[in-house]
């Protein structure tokens, strides 16, 4: 068992550390709550997607049939018309497209449709993309062709030069082919080919296809636009390369898909305006919503995941609080809390911002006909995005998926708010609780300490009662303890008082019978007695006078105690008193040698000089009694700091073991019985101690031992002096 | 024949003292308690009364009796003869108007000397004898016959013990009288601290008359000395 010196207060402080469990519990609770909120958000979001999917069910027109029925789409062949943010200026310079350039696909050898001579390397390749803006399908072709062959100015043929072939299955179900070929840079001329794919003529100009042809260092750029109503769900582009101006033979064809055959034509997905208009209603919603087709290609999109806070967050918006508490919270508590909590960041990287194809377990799940949802971390790890998907049904077939996405910022904000409140409450409760406990412990420990101090001060080292304990009035255990202490001390006090008065009462009670004996003996002495009788009377008288001396001794101590309680204190020179006393002793004890060393300073002190002289009497009497015959008694008075030190040394027998304290007690005498010719009550040193203590000094006795040889006994009295 | 009354509850002591005093030629009446004594005193006052303080069941019966006696006569010499020897009791007894306060340790010769001194004083006060035995030192005049001390011609009321102490000091001004010597001179046998308190009381009595009184000099550890220079 460890016994560390820990006070009550510290113990309570340690115990109150268990209050720290409270925030942990609260934190766990809030985490649990957040889990449920997340679940709720997931369900809500699934509900949103479901509601939107419901609006889109059984509306086949909205979906591009051709592509939708393909089992898979092929990038490059199946085109996707990106929604463009603004109109494109048709100037052949591709600056307008710069923000979309990363979407552009490169068509090279893998997309070669025809080669006149397989052994010759392909000289032509191009970069291409299509986009959609305000009813037009825009597209650009950045063709690398070291040898650009324009259409001859007078040639009727449009296909024996470098040209761009366009084929589409128009919305009316007809297969249409166009060729863009120019005789010089500038506005393009488009021509529609006959319906029969075998035929290349006659051609009719098609002015709805507008654009520009611009020669570049590498080859040429074509930038064009086609009204959306001319473009069906199938579309293919091909760049036909002619290098020999003489023969004008087609050397190679590179394209998105074969433009000769409707069957081989690739598809084009134009984000559906109808769907967009439907989900536009949802843009007021707080989440970002996508509608994708069964290939995951985005048909429509609304909302922005950055600006969209969600339902959860909106409810927790608070007004600026300008009260003291509000400001304190804002300036001190919140910075502290947000060292632990994380504020949902406003700027995080959204990997899907401009995606055209969505993927993910939720979409796969939705395509299989079930609701799905997934959580993902943004690539920078700053935000968690919740995505839910639900399928759109057309005739028992999943034609697309509605995807809704939200960040968990709302929940996190909500969680943070909850934690803030929780922390506030916990801080308050903890500080109040700790304070209360601390004060409680302090009051208990201070009461116990007070009691301890009182108990310690109640009885001095000699076991006498110095002051009574006043019992506490508080009705609890400590109060009880204090009251029992008070009663113990008072009972002990009564007993000590009884003991202390013992000698005075004894002397008083004995005095009368002694007087009887004495007066009777005196009577006897006055009468004529025979010598044999006289002898006994003398012995009896001697005995009585000894008894009388004992009684006097006994009452002397009592009387001194009494007198000390109302003694008048003067300022007097201690060294003068001591030297006066020493002169007196030299007269009184002419046979005794004294060796006196008294310091020159007066050493003035407060006290009663008569008592000091009495103290000297007692000590010198004691020293003479024990002194070895012939040796000198050394008396030395010196000052040390605020104390005068008086030492009286005599050569004589050693102090009895473990008695150096007791010899100053009342009625303690350590003389050998045989040396006793006078009565000794052991009051002399007791009186000396009383006087020393009355002057706030102390007295001690110890053997003087040098080199293990006992030389004598030295009494030392320390008395406080007044330093002027 | 002088009539002495002894009020003492302890029969043996009472009888012992009674016999001794009778042998000395005094007429002695002894009483065991206050009521009987008081009854006798109302009939006839003695020439001197020796009273114990504790009387049977009355702890302070002697004090009460002393007060009653003082009320009856202001000149009647009263001596307390008691076992109680505390300062407090001594002061109390003397304040109540007693002329002397003796402890029961006192020996017969001593007691008889005291009685004689008291009788002499009361006689002198009554008679207008001018037979002077005067000691004069500056402001101090001691009339040994009348057992009276004057300071600046004003009488100072001292008890017999105090008188003899002043007498012993002033007889040889400038000489240090040890406590033992004072005890012998005052014919009392008490411990040193009683001498100290007697000296203190004497000083107080002089100072009550004259603030500037400073003739009794303490020689620390040795005793006291009468110093005319003050």
């Amino acid at each position: 068992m460890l016994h560390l010196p820990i006070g009550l207060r510290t113990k309570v402080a340690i115990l109150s550390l268990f209050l720290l469990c409270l925030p942990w519990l609260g934190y766990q609770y809030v985490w649990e709550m957040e889990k449920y909120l997340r679940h709720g958000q997931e369900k809500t979001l699934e509900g949103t997607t479901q509601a939107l999917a419901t609006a889109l069910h059984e509306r086949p027109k909205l979906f591009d049939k051709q592509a939708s029925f393909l089992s898979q789409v092929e990038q490059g062949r199946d085109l996707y018309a990106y929604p463009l943010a603004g109109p494109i200026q048709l100037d052949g310079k591709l600056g307008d497209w710069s923000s979309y350039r990363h979407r552009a696909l490169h068509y090279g050898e893998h997309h070669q449709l025809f080669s006149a001579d397989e052994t010759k390397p392909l000289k032509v390749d191009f970069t291409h993309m299509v986009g959609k803006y305000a009813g037009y399908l825009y597209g650009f072709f950045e063709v690398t062709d070291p040898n650009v062959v324009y259409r001859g100015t007078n040639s009727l043929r449009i296909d024996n030069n470098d040209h761009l072939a366009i084929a589409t299955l128009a919305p009316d179900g007809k297969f249409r082919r166009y060729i863009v070929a120019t005789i010089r840079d500038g506005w393009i001329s488009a021509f529609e080919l006959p319906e029969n794919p075998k035929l290349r003529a006659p051609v009719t100009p098609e002015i709805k296809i507008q654009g520009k042809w611009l020669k570049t260092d590498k080859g040429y750029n074509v930038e064009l636009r086609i009204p959306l109503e001319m473009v069906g769900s199938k579309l293919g582009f091909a760049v036909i390369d002619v290098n020999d101006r003489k023969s004008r033979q087609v050397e190679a064809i590179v394209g998105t898909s074969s433009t000769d055959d409707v069957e081989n034509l690739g598809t084009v997905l134009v984000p559906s305006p109808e769907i967009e208009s439907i989900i536009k209603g949802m843009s007021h919603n707080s989440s970002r919503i996508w509608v994708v087709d069964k290939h995951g290609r985005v048909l429509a999109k609304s909302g922005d995941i950055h600006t969209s806070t969600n339902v959860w967050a909106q409810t927790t918006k608070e007004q600026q609080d300008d009260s003291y508490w509000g400001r304190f919270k804002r300036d001190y508590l919140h910075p502290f809390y947000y060292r632990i909590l994380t504020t949902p960041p406003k700027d995080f990287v959204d990997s899907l911002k401009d995606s055209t194809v969505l993927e993910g377990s939720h979409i796969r799940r939705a395509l299989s006909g079930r609701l799905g949802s997934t959580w993902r971390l943004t690539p920078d790890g700053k935000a968690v995005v919740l995505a839910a998907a639900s399928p759109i049904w057309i005739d028992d077939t999943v034609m697309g998926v509605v995807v809704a996405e939200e960040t968990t910022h709302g929940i996190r904000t909500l969680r943070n708010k909850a934690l803030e409140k929780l922390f506030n409450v916990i801080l308050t409760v903890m500080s109040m609780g700790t304070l209360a406990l601390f004060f409680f412990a302090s009051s208990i420990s201070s009461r116990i300490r007070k009691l301890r101090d009182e108990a310690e001060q109640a009885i001095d080292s000699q076991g006498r009662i110095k002051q009574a304990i006043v019992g506490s009035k508080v009705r609890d255990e400590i109060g009880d303890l204090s009251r029992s202490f008070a009663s113990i001390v008072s009972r002990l006090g009564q007993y000590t008082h009884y003991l202390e008065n013992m000698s005075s009462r004894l002397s008083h009670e004995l005095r009368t019978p002694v007087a009887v004996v004495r007066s009777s003996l005196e009577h006897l002495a006055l009468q004529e007695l025979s010598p044999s009788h006289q002898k006994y009377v003398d012995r009896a008288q001697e005995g009585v006078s000894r008894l009388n001396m004992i009684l006097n001794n006994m009452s002397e101590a009592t009387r001194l105690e009494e007198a000390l309680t109302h003694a008048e204190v003067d300022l007097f020179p201690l060294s003068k008193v001591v030297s006066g006393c020493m002169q007196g002793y030299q007269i009184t004890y002419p046979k005794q040698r004294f060796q006196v060393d008294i310091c020159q300073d007066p050493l003035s002190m407060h006290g009663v000089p008569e008592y000091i002289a009495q103290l000297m009497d007692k000590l010198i009497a004691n020293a003479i009694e024990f002194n070895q015959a012939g040796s000198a008694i050394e008396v030395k008075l010196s000052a040390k700091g605020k104390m005068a030190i008086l030492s009286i040394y005599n050569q004589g027998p050693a102090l009895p073991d473990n008695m150096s304290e007791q010899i100053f007690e009342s009625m303690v005498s350590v003389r050998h019985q045989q040396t006793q010719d006078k009565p000794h009550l052991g009051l002399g040193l007791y009186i000396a101690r009383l006087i020393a203590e009355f002057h706030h000094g102390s007295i001690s006795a110890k053997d003087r031992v040098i080199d293990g040889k006992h030389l004598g006994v030295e009494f030392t009295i320390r008395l406080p002096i007044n330093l002027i | 024949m002088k009539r002495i009354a002894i009020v003492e509850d302890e029969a043996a002591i009472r009888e012992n003292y009674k016999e001794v005093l009778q042998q000395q030629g005094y007429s002695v009446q002894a009483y065991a308690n206050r009521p009987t004594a008081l009854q006798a005193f109302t009939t006839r006052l003695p020439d001197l009364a020796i009273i114990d303080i504790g009387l049977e069941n009355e702890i302070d019966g002697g004090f009460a009796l002393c007060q009653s006696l003082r009320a009856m006569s202001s000149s009647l010499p009263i001596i307390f003869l008691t076992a109680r020897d505390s300062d407090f009791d001594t002061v109390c007894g003397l304040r109540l108007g007693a002329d002397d306060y003796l402890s029961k340790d006192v020996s017969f010769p001593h007691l008889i000397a005291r009685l004689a001194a008291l009788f002499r004083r009361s006689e002198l006060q009554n008679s207008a004898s001018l037979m002077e035995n005067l000691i004069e030192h500056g402001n101090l005049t001691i009339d040994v016959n009348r057992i009276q001390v004057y300071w600046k011609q004003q009488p100072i009321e001292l008890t017999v013990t105090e008188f003899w102490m002043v007498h012993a000091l002033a007889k040889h001004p400038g000489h240090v009288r040890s406590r033992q010597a004072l005890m012998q001179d005052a014919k009392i046998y008490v411990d040193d601290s009683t001498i100290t308190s007697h000296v203190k009381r004497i000083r107080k009595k002089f100072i009550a008359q004259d603030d500037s009184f400073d003739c009794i000099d303490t020689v620390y550890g040795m005793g006291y000395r009468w110093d005319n220079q003050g």
Side-chain angles (χ1 to χ4, degrees):
Chain A
M1 188 67 185
L2 271 176
H3 288 288
L4 295 173
I6 298 176
L8 272 183
R9 255 188 297 187
T10 323
K11 280 178 187 162
V12 170
I14 291 169
L15 283 180
S16 65
L17 286 182
F18 284 106
L19 283 175
L20 290 178
C21 288
L22 283 180
W24 181 75
L25 278 177
Y27 198 69
Q28 289 298 314
Y29 175 74
V30 171
W31 266 113
E32 206 62 19
M33 188 190 78
E34 194 190 348
K35 217 164 83 185
Y36 283 103
L37 281 179
R38 278 167 188 264
H39 192 66
Q41 193 185 16
E42 211 175 303
K43 291 294 157 209
T44 314
L45 209 57
E46 280 178 4
T48 308
T49 58
Q50 230 172 349
L52 195 58
T54 310
L56 298 173
H57 285 332
E58 306 304 338
R59 292 172 79 168
K61 276 187 183 169
L62 297 177
F63 293 90
D64 173 354
K65 266 190 198 150
Q66 300 301 326
S68 297
F69 289 105
L70 289 176
S71 57
Q72 69 179 74
V73 293
E74 188 189 314
Q75 198 178 35
R77 199 180 88 105
D78 297 302
L79 304 173
Y80 184 85
Y82 296 96
L84 301 177
I88 300 289
Q89 198 184 354
L90 298 172
D91 54 5
K93 294 169 189 159
L94 304 178
D96 302 356
W97 297 89
S98 58
S99 55
Y100 313 106
R101 277 304 282 265
H102 58 283
R103 304 271 169 75
L105 291 173
H106 183 256
Y107 294 82
E109 275 179 51
H110 293 291
H111 298 86
Q112 190 168 4
L113 301 172
F114 168 79
S115 177
D117 185 351
E118 296 286 344
T119 59
K120 276 192 181 175
L122 185 64
K123 285 181 183 164
V124 68
D125 57 87
F126 66 94
T127 306
H128 159 69
M129 77 168 281
V130 285
K132 181 202 116 182
Y133 180 77
Y136 285 97
L137 183 77
Y138 287 84
F140 80 86
F141 302 85
E142 188 179 24
V143 183
T144 310
D145 185 356
N147 187 12
V148 180
V149 178
Y150 291 102
R151 183 159 67 100
T153 37
N154 297 320
S155 174
L156 285 173
R157 287 290 296 250
I158 54 168
D159 56 347
N160 51 5
N161 45 40
D162 287 337
H163 66 268
L164 173 70
I166 303 167
T168 180
L169 188 68
D172 55 8
K174 288 189 178 161
F175 179 58
R176 290 216 170 82
R177 293 180 298 148
Y178 305 94
I179 280 179
V180 175
T182 59
I183 50 175
R184 70 186 78 86
D185 285 353
W187 277 98
I188 56 168
S189 318
F191 304 93
E192 186 180 357
L193 292 181
E195 236 173 293
N196 187 343
K198 302 279 192 299
L199 297 176
R200 294 280 172 196
V203 293
T204 49
E206 177 53 69
I207 54 159
K208 284 182 187 166
I209 297 175
Q210 297 161 334
K212 218 159 190 183
W213 182 295
L214 185 72
K215 194 169 185 310
T216 63
D217 299 340
K218 294 187 287 181
Y220 56 93
N221 288 348
V222 178
E223 199 172 30
L224 53 74
R225 72 174 188 185
I226 307 166
L228 276 176
E229 60 263 26
M230 285 173 64
V231 183
S233 58
K234 285 197 164 191
L235 184 66
F237 294 102
V239 171
I240 293 101
D241 184 32
V242 173
N243 286 331
D244 190 345
R245 287 176 192 273
K246 294 277 160 42
S247 64
R248 289 188 178 261
Q249 285 300 306
V250 173
E251 283 189 11
I253 300 173
V254 177
T256 62
S257 59
S258 169
T259 55
D260 292 345
D261 191 354
V262 68
E263 296 303 318
N264 293 334
L265 215 51
T267 61
V268 63
L269 183 87
V270 180
S272 161
E274 290 90 343
I275 296 174
E276 213 152 86
S277 70
I278 288 169
I279 65 165
K280 202 175 176 191
M282 299 298 266
S283 69
H284 302 295
N285 198 300
S286 54
S287 29
R288 177 165 70 179
I289 291 169
W290 310 81
V291 178
V292 298
D293 69 3
K294 61 186 283 190
H295 305 295
R297 297 188 299 178
V298 176
L299 293 174
K301 176 192 150 186
S302 90
D304 180 4
I305 202 160
H306 278 101
T307 54
S308 73
T309 48
N310 57 34
V311 217
W312 313 94
Q314 279 155 7
T315 54
T316 58
K317 281 255 165 28
E318 268 182 17
Q319 288 202 321
Q320 184 96 334
D321 186 357
D322 267 332
S323 65
Y324 282 117
W325 170 237
R327 261 183 289 170
F328 175 70
K329 263 202 308 200
R330 207 163 53 241
D331 297 345
Y332 298 102
L333 293 182
H334 288 181
F336 172 65
Y337 294 159
Y338 283 98
R339 278 166 181 275
I340 309 163
L341 306 176
T342 46
T343 326
K346 283 275 184 284
D347 54 331
F348 52 88
V349 172
D350 178 18
S351 57
L352 294 182
K353 194 173 181 204
D354 293 310
S355 301
T356 54
V357 178
L358 296 186
E359 288 183 321
S361 62
H362 57 302
I363 292 172
R364 281 196 294 279
R365 206 175 145 82
L367 286 173
S368 70
R370 284 171 296 167
L371 286 174
S373 59
T374 181
W375 298 85
R376 70 182 146 83
L377 203 63
T378 55
D380 56 357
K382 282 181 179 170
V384 176
V385 176
L386 167 66
S390 74
I392 302 167
W393 295 92
I394 294 171
D395 294 338
D396 298 330
T397 317
V398 175
M399 288 301 288
V401 172
V402 178
V403 179
E405 286 180 326
E406 267 179 9
T407 57
T408 55
H409 285 182
I411 285 173
R412 280 168 78 183
T413 314
L414 202 62
R415 184 196 70 189
N416 286 351
K417 292 275 172 205
L419 284 176
E420 273 172 33
K421 286 215 169 110
L422 181 80
F423 287 166
N424 286 345
V425 168
I426 281 170
L427 268 183
T428 318
V429 166
M430 265 175 53
S431 46
M432 280 169 67
T434 311
L435 267 181
L437 276 175
F438 183 79
F439 281 120
F440 179 65
S442 293
S443 91
I444 284 189
S445 75
S446 78
R447 283 173 62 197
I448 292 178
R449 260 181 296 149
K450 188 170 155 254
L451 189 58
R452 178 198 64 193
D453 293 346
E454 276 185 339
E456 272 175 8
Q457 278 161 15
I459 297 173
D460 69 5
S461 57
Q462 269 78 37
R464 283 174 306 178
I465 308 294
K466 284 198 289 188
Q467 64 186 52
I469 292 180
V470 182
S472 160
K473 289 200 174 65
V474 184
R475 299 178 65 84
D476 62 6
E477 287 81 353
I478 298 175
D480 286 344
L481 189 62
S482 151
R483 281 190 290 278
S484 31
F485 261 124
S487 87
I488 287 172
V489 168
S490 92
R491 270 179 262 164
L492 195 59
Q494 284 165 17
Y495 181 66
T496 321
H497 185 72
Y498 164 76
L499 285 184
E500 279 172 350
N501 289 341
M502 193 73 154
S503 79
S504 84
R505 232 167 324 141
L506 260 180
S507 78
H508 179 244
E509 288 304 319
L510 288 175
R511 213 164 269 263
T512 309
V514 167
V516 174
V517 175
R518 247 176 64 123
S519 54
S520 307
L521 281 175
E522 279 182 26
H523 265 296
L524 266 181
L526 289 176
Q527 280 156 30
E528 290 294 320
L529 291 172
S530 66
S532 57
H533 287 123
Q534 184 66 44
K535 186 174 69 190
Y536 297 115
V537 171
D538 287 347
R539 283 182 196 164
Q541 265 181 333
E542 195 191 321
V544 167
S545 80
R546 236 165 102 169
L547 198 54
N548 206 39
M549 205 189 286
I550 293 175
L551 294 180
N552 272 340
N553 276 343
M554 276 163 85
S555 58
E556 186 186 3
T558 317
R559 222 156 347 137
L560 182 71
E561 277 176 50
E562 228 171 66
L564 285 176
T565 55
H566 29 77
E568 284 166 34
V569 173
D570 295 325
L571 195 66
F572 68 94
L574 178 64
S575 48
K576 210 177 148 194
V577 174
V578 174
S579 62
C581 287
M582 291 322 294
Q583 285 169 33
Y585 301 138
Q586 267 148 3
I587 296 162
T588 320
Y589 308 103
K591 286 179 189 161
Q592 178 65 48
R593 273 198 304 125
F594 289 100
Q595 193 178 313
V596 185
D597 175 13
I598 291 167
C599 90
Q600 296 300 308
D601 297 327
L603 305 181
S604 51
M605 63 174 283
H606 279 288
V608 184
E610 283 84 6
Y611 293 152
I612 296 291
Q614 201 175 341
L615 168 107
M616 288 290 293
D617 287 351
K618 298 296 174 195
L619 290 176
I620 293 292
N622 188 72
I624 286 171
E625 193 180 331
F626 286 99
N627 194 31
Q628 232 168 40
S631 65
I633 289 171
E634 290 170 26
V635 177
K636 189 179 173 202
L637 178 67
S638 61
K640 193 176 179 187
K642 289 181 173 179
M643 288 298 206
I645 297 167
L646 173 64
S647 71
I648 294 166
Y649 163 76
N650 67 280
Q651 293 180 22
L655 294 168
D657 291 341
N658 307 321
M659 285 285 275
S660 58
E661 279 296 317
Q662 278 98 313
I663 56 171
F664 297 107
E665 298 289 312
S666 170
M667 307 280 197
V668 172
S669 182
V670 292
R671 288 166 179 82
H672 294 291
Q673 210 59 40
Q674 54 265 48
T675 64
Q676 224 166 339
D677 51 350
K678 277 197 279 180
H680 285 289
L681 287 170
L683 285 167
L685 292 179
Y686 171 64
I687 286 170
R689 197 198 79 200
L690 280 184
I691 292 170
E693 282 176 1
F694 169 75
H695 289 93
H696 307 289
S698 64
I699 184 166
S700 63
K702 66 171 189 223
D703 293 315
R704 188 183 279 186
V705 177
I706 293 172
D707 298 335
K709 202 177 147 204
H710 176 80
L711 292 177
V713 177
E714 184 172 22
F715 284 81
T716 309
I717 302 107
R718 285 158 204 281
L719 296 168
I721 50 174
N722 282 44
L723 294 175
I724 301 149
Chain B
M1 199 194 279
K2 296 282 183 201
R3 295 178 68 254
I4 296 176
I6 296 179
V7 188
E8 166 65 64
D9 53 350
E10 191 70 41
I13 297 177
R14 189 171 67 227
E15 290 308 314
N16 275 348
Y17 282 120
K18 192 179 165 184
E19 280 168 30
V20 165
L21 293 176
Q22 279 170 342
Q23 280 168 13
Q24 294 297 315
Y26 296 110
S27 151
V28 183
Q29 286 82 42
Y31 308 98
N33 54 35
R34 194 177 65 89
T36 52
L38 200 58
Q39 206 182 356
F41 293 158
T42 43
T43 331
R44 191 182 168 191
L45 275 177
D47 294 318
L48 187 141
I50 299 172
I51 305 171
D52 190 8
I53 294 175
L55 293 172
E56 289 184 352
N57 54 355
E58 290 175 282
I59 301 168
D60 288 336
F63 287 152
L65 190 60
C66 173
Q67 267 178 312
S68 320
L69 271 177
R70 232 345 130 235
M72 291 177 207
S73 163
S74 60
S75 62
L76 173 71
I78 301 171
I79 298 177
F80 276 117
L81 182 68
T82 176
R84 280 154 68 161
D85 60 349
S86 74
D87 254 11
F88 176 77
D89 286 324
T90 317
V91 173
C92 228
L94 294 174
R95 280 219 185 116
L96 285 170
D99 293 275
D100 216 338
Y101 190 99
L102 295 173
S103 145
K104 275 182 183 167
D105 323 335
V106 78
S107 63
F108 286 150
H110 185 178
L111 177 70
I112 290 157
R114 290 298 179 102
L115 290 175
L118 278 177
F119 276 127
R120 190 154 44 129
R121 186 160 64 162
S122 59
E123 269 168 31
L124 283 171
Q125 272 171 347
N126 296 337
S127 69
S129 160
L130 285 173
M131 225 186 81
E132 302 256 324
N133 186 359
L134 292 178
I135 299 173
E136 279 190 59
H137 290 297
N139 293 325
L140 180 78
T141 309
I142 302 176
D143 183 344
V144 180
N145 288 334
R146 305 177 68 159
I147 312 194
Q148 187 58 271
V149 170
Y150 299 91
W151 181 256
K152 291 182 178 170
Q153 314 309 321
Q154 294 295 312
I156 290 180
E157 291 297 329
L158 297 175
T159 65
V160 181
T161 310
E162 288 159 4
F163 172 82
W164 287 119
M165 283 172 74
V166 171
H167 180 258
L169 284 171
K171 206 157 61 179
H172 306 289
H175 286 218
V176 176
R177 305 296 288 172
S178 72
R179 289 189 176 83
Q180 289 297 320
L182 283 175
M183 252 189 261
Q184 277 164 18
D185 292 337
K187 298 180 184 68
I188 55 168
Y189 301 97
V190 289
D191 59 273
D192 290 4
S193 66
T194 311
I195 296 287
T196 309
S197 60
H198 275 300
V199 171
K200 272 190 183 164
R201 256 200 310 280
I202 292 168
R203 272 206 197 112
K204 267 185 198 158
K205 281 179 178 175
F206 277 97
I207 285 167
Q209 195 101 316
D210 177 9
D211 283 347
S212 61
F213 176 81
D214 191 19
C215 287
I216 300 176
D217 216 10
T218 309
V219 183
Y220 293 118
M222 295 176 79
Y224 300 93
R225 170 171 67 182
W226 188 270
D227 183 3
N228 272 334
Q229 313 314 312

